[in-house]
């Protein structure tokens, strides 16, 4: 009975919305997202002049899209009134109006639409999104001679009519901008299917293939594996992709290095992969060319001659990792990131070093001085040496080392965020905090 009711609800939903621009709110958003392969949403506010300009264009695009994609459950265009649904706007990190975002199989893609604002352009964007991203090997020779120019995932299947292939196809559509996807079907793939259908990752540069060992029909498991392979731990930031990276909303941990300085980059990657892989969901690990991004270095009081350098950009402030050579010291970079997450870096930007740190140093009991055991003293006397003098020398050396170790750390080098300027231009959108009377 419950399944019948669910079916009737979906049937009513399709009969009432198929062919129309869908008004989305908290009551129907899950149904809309999960009932279509693609959902293109316009997040708007009625008081925003740019939103009002886009409204008839988006409606025309919706009408045209229904003609291009008449199949039920394929494509839907919807709109969210963000003043009436602030929870939805917050959920999808909408902070300017209007914003157009694409959802595939219920999941938001990481890049919002930034193309031309015409009905034809919007429909063409959807047509591009609906293209099959999978390249098919026609012969064994073509498959054997293939060299990856981009990170590639290759599937070997007995048939396209399987749950395994359906899962592979969904992953390919989700990650087509990050990886190339290839398949070999039937006899062409037979030698690669000795133990059944198979999926491999082929990196660039001639590195060995990596075999997927999980269930081919487990969408979440295969997507996690594919994402890990297609989206590298450390990405290069450029002026071309900077806007997209800021759009992901994660603070940046950036290595500034000379293009020819591959040694520093390899060390950076090594430390991140060994000690900070768990931070990938909270921080974007990036590398930047010192010459290209000399402006942020200037704000930190540095120049290209000071590279390599490591800094955090939180989109509010920039924080310089005190000493690049400390990258190899266990826990140093991890502690730097923890200070970001705890708010300590932000506090020190405004108020200087935490008083709690100073108080802890002042209240800590002094460490015990080194002393010689009676046995060692007796042994030294037999050698004609003065044990008291030797003990005093050891204690003086210990106190000197303690003094060096407890010196106040250098003042944190900070600046206002520079990379937030790579975010979308406010001249193209209405920002949420802009006074409505200005429009």
């Amino acid at each position: 009975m419950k399944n019948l009711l669910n079916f009737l609800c979906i049937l009513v939903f399709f009969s009432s919305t198929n062919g129309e621009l869908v008004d989305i709110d908290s009551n129907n958003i899950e149904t809309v997202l999960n009932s279509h392969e693609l959902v293109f949403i316009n997040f708007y506010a009625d008081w925003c002049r740019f939103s009002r300009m886009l409204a008839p264009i988006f409606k025309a695009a919706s009408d045209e899209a229904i003609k291009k994609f008449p199949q039920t459950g394929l494509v839907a265009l919807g709109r969210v009134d963000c003043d009436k649904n602030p929870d939805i706007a917050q959920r999808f990190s909408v902070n300017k109006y209007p914003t157009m975002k694409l959802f595939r199989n219920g999941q938001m893609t990481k890049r919002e639409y930034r193309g031309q604002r015409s009905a034809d352009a919007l429909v063409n964007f959807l047509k591009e999104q609906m293209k099959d991203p999978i390249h098919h090997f026609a012969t064994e020779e073509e498959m054997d001679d293939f060299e990856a120019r981009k990170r590639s995932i290759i599937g070997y299947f007995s048939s396209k009519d399987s749950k395994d292939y359906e899962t592979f196809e969904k992953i390919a559509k989700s990650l087509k901008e990050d990886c190339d996807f290839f398949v070999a079907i039937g006899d062409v793939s037979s030698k690669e299917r000795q133990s059944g259908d198979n999926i491999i990752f082929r990196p660039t540069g001639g590195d060995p293939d990596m075999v997927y060992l999980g269930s081919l029909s487990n969408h979440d498991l295969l997507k996690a594996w594919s994402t890990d392979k297609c989206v590298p731990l450390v990405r290069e930031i450029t002026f071309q992709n900077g806007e997209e990276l800021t759009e992901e909303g994660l603070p940046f941990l950036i290595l500034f290095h000379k293009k020819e300085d591959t040694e520093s980059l390899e060390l950076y990657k090594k430390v991140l992969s060994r000690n900070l892989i768990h931070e990938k969901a909270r921080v974007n690990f990036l590398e930047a060319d010192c010459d290209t991004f000399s402006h942020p270095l200037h704000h930190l009081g540095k120049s290209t001659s000071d590279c390599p350098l490591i800094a955090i950009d939180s989109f509010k402030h920039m924080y310089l990792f005190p000493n690049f050579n400390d990258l190899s010291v266990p826990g140093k970079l991890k502690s730097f990131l923890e200070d970001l997450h705890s708010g300590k870096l932000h506090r020190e930007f405004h108020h200087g070093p935490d008083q709690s740190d100073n108080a802890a140093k002042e209240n800590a009991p002094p460490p015990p001085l080194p002393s010689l055991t009676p046995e060692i003293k007796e042994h030294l006397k037999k050698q004609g040496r003065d044990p008291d003098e030797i003990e005093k020398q050891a204690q003086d050396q210990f106190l000197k080392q303690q003094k060096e170790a407890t010196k106040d750390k250098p003042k944190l080098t900070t600046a206002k965020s520079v990379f937030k300027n790579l975010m979308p231009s406010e001249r193209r959108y209405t920002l949420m905090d802009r006074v409505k009377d200005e429009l």
Side-chain angles (χ1 to χ4, degrees):
M1 185 67 180
K2 184 177 179 180
N3 290 336
L4 178 61
L5 288 174
N6 288 337
F7 172 76
L8 291 174
C9 286
I10 293 174
L11 187 64
V12 169
F13 169 77
F14 278 127
S15 64
S16 62
T17 62
N18 198 34
E20 298 179 5
L21 180 61
V22 186
D23 285 305
I24 295 175
D25 57 29
S26 57
N27 294 319
N28 68 356
I29 185 167
E30 297 302 332
T31 303
V32 175
L33 294 181
N34 293 319
S35 301
H36 300 84
E37 182 175 335
L38 282 185
V39 180
F40 194 29
I41 299 181
N42 170 25
F43 295 85
Y44 72 97
D46 276 333
W47 52 264
C48 166
R49 177 166 61 92
F50 302 109
S51 291
R52 294 196 298 270
M53 291 169 61
L54 179 64
I57 296 171
F58 201 78
K59 176 64 169 67
S62 177
D63 294 341
E64 185 62 25
I66 294 306
K67 298 175 185 176
K68 298 289 185 183
F69 311 106
Q71 302 95 320
T72 297
L74 198 60
V75 175
L77 276 75
R79 58 190 176 191
V80 173
D81 185 336
C82 294
D83 279 346
K84 294 180 180 178
N85 301 278
D87 53 330
I88 297 179
Q90 183 178 13
R91 173 181 170 185
F92 297 116
S93 302
V94 175
N95 52 23
K96 57 192 176 303
Y97 305 131
T99 290
M100 288 177 276
K101 290 180 179 281
L102 184 72
F103 296 76
R104 188 185 298 276
N105 297 317
Q107 300 295 315
M108 183 177 71
T109 59
K110 63 183 180 182
R111 297 179 179 93
E112 68 182 61
Y113 177 79
R114 300 193 183 286
Q116 184 182 356
R117 296 188 174 194
S118 69
D120 286 344
L122 297 179
V123 173
N124 287 334
F125 169 71
L126 291 173
K127 287 168 64 177
E128 285 296 316
Q129 294 297 318
M130 290 303 299
K131 285 184 177 178
D132 186 358
I134 301 175
H135 310 278
H136 291 254
F137 290 123
T139 65
E140 286 190 20
E141 291 75 17
E142 183 183 346
M143 183 178 69
D144 292 339
D145 294 339
F146 171 70
E147 290 185 11
R149 297 180 181 177
K150 182 179 176 181
R151 293 178 181 85
S152 302
I153 292 182
I154 306 172
Y156 305 98
F157 298 95
S158 58
S159 168
K160 289 180 66 173
D161 301 321
S162 67
K163 176 69 174 175
D164 292 350
Y165 184 85
E166 180 184 337
T167 303
F168 181 81
E169 189 175 37
K170 286 183 178 180
I171 302 300
K173 290 178 178 178
S174 297
L175 294 173
K176 65 179 183 177
E177 293 175 352
D178 301 297
C179 257
D180 283 338
F181 286 81
F182 298 83
V183 293
I185 305 291
D187 293 340
V188 176
S189 65
S190 58
K191 68 179 182 181
E192 298 291 343
R193 291 187 293 104
Q194 300 298 322
S195 56
D197 290 351
N198 187 23
I199 294 175
I200 67 166
F201 169 70
R202 180 163 295 173
T204 57
D207 290 335
D209 295 343
M210 302 178 194
V211 180
Y212 174 65
L213 300 176
S215 168
L216 273 65
S217 59
N218 186 322
H219 177 274
D220 292 341
L221 192 62
L222 180 57
K223 185 174 183 180
W225 180 84
S226 301
T227 301
D228 181 62
K229 299 295 179 287
C230 293
V231 182
L233 179 62
V234 178
R235 292 178 283 176
E236 182 180 8
I237 185 169
T238 64
F239 287 123
Q240 287 70 39
N241 69 2
E243 189 174 289
E244 294 176 356
L245 291 173
T246 59
E247 188 178 302
E248 294 178 18
L250 300 176
F252 293 168
L253 181 71
I254 311 175
L255 167 69
F256 296 91
H257 70 109
K258 295 278 190 179
K259 276 289 186 185
E260 62 273 16
D261 178 17
T262 58
E263 185 177 343
S264 297
L265 178 59
E266 289 307 312
L267 176 61
Y268 179 64
K269 290 179 178 179
K270 184 177 178 181
V271 171
L272 293 178
S273 61
R274 286 186 176 180
N275 305 313
L276 293 168
I277 191 73
H278 61 282
E279 290 282 355
K280 188 177 180 180
R282 298 202 292 172
V283 177
N284 260 329
F285 298 128
L286 306 174
E287 58 158 315
D289 175 29
C290 277
D291 294 317
T292 303
F293 288 97
S294 59
H295 183 63
L297 299 180
H298 174 73
H299 277 255
L300 289 166
K302 300 293 183 180
S303 68
T304 56
S305 62
D306 296 309
C307 289
L309 298 167
I310 294 175
I312 287 172
D313 193 306
S314 69
F315 304 143
K316 290 183 178 180
H317 307 124
M318 291 185 69
Y319 311 100
L320 183 67
F321 186 60
N323 188 342
F324 177 81
N325 293 326
D326 285 344
L327 183 61
S328 299
V329 178
K332 278 283 188 178
L333 191 59
K334 180 180 180 182
S335 177
F336 188 52
L337 277 178
E338 287 174 348
D339 287 347
L340 169 72
H341 298 319
S342 69
K344 183 177 179 181
L345 293 181
H346 182 78
R347 291 193 302 272
E348 291 192 357
F349 178 89
H350 291 287
H351 308 295
D354 277 1
Q355 295 301 315
S356 58
D357 289 351
N358 295 332
K361 290 178 183 177
E362 293 173 2
N363 297 328
L369 295 174
S371 59
L372 302 179
T373 64
E375 293 80 8
I376 293 177
K377 285 184 177 182
E378 188 63 31
H379 179 72
L380 291 172
K381 286 179 181 178
K382 289 180 179 178
Q383 291 181 332
R385 302 167 68 187
D386 185 349
D388 294 334
E389 181 63 27
I390 292 175
E391 185 175 66
K392 185 177 185 307
Q393 289 175 1
Q395 292 174 348
D396 289 345
Q397 180 65 24
F398 177 78
L399 290 172
K400 182 180 179 180
Q401 291 172 348
Q402 284 294 306
K403 185 176 180 181
E404 289 294 324
T406 56
K407 276 184 177 178
D408 289 336
K409 65 178 181 180
K411 188 177 184 297
L412 181 66
T413 302
T414 59
K416 289 186 177 179
S417 171
V418 174
F419 284 90
K420 71 177 181 180
N421 296 325
L422 294 178
M423 290 180 170
S425 169
E426 66 179 78
R427 290 192 298 274
R428 291 165 54 194
Y429 306 95
T430 299
L431 300 185
M432 288 176 62
D433 58 357
R434 180 177 290 178
V435 179
K436 299 180 185 181
D437 294 340
E438 294 179 359
L439 300 177

